[in-house]
Amino acid sequence: MLGTALGSTLFAVALLASGQSSTITGTLAGQVVMEGFMHWRIKPWVRRLITRTLAILPAVFVIGIRGNSSVTDLLTLSQGSAWRLQLPFAMFPLLHFTSSGKRMGSWRNGRFLLVAGWASAILITVMDVYGLPDSFKAAWKVIVGG
């Protein structure tokens, strides 16, 4: 509908924007957990350096080994498998925090939201663990090519 050039450009911009959104959300969730629960304080520039490096090095490594043909595989892997492993690490601490009367006071989760939140977090985690072997197989195929 938009043509090859315009369509490809718009897709690239949308992909870049969604990647930035995911990175920022993941970084902020990790920051909340580290600073709020674990009381770890890291200078913002150090945290950004660590998170960006950990985010980009695997992609640089795989593209260096397999070349540009692996970019689509990396995209699929990162949007499906990688988030599968990271989601529980954000869900459980945030549910714990928002369910705490000590921390949230009258704004804490109500009984229905508490049960629904924990049930969905546990269900998602169980499904993630169940799919973990397939994720590792897919990751290995992306790395070695296959």
Side-chain angles (χ1 to χ4, degrees), residues 42-95:
I42 298 175
K43 293 180 182 179
W45 71 269
V46 174
R47 181 178 57 247
R48 288 182 196 113
L49 179 67
I50 291 169
T51 56
R52 298 311 191 273
T53 302
L54 289 175
I56 203 164
L57 275 183
V60 170
F61 176 73
V62 171
I63 291 171
I65 291 173
R66 291 198 42 221
N68 291 339
S69 65
S70 62
V71 173
T72 303
D73 294 337
L74 278 171
L75 177 64
T76 304
L77 180 65
S78 70
Q79 296 304 311
S81 302
W83 285 109
R84 170 181 297 182
L85 299 173
Q86 296 171 353
L87 189 57
F89 289 105
M91 285 189 311
F92 287 105
L94 290 174
L95 271 170

Side-chain angles (χ1 to χ4, degrees), residues 128-143:
D128 288 349
V129 169
Y130 178 77
L132 206 54
D134 290 335
S135 294
F136 285 136
K137 288 177 190 173
W140 185 250
K141 283 182 182 179
V142 168
I143 292 168

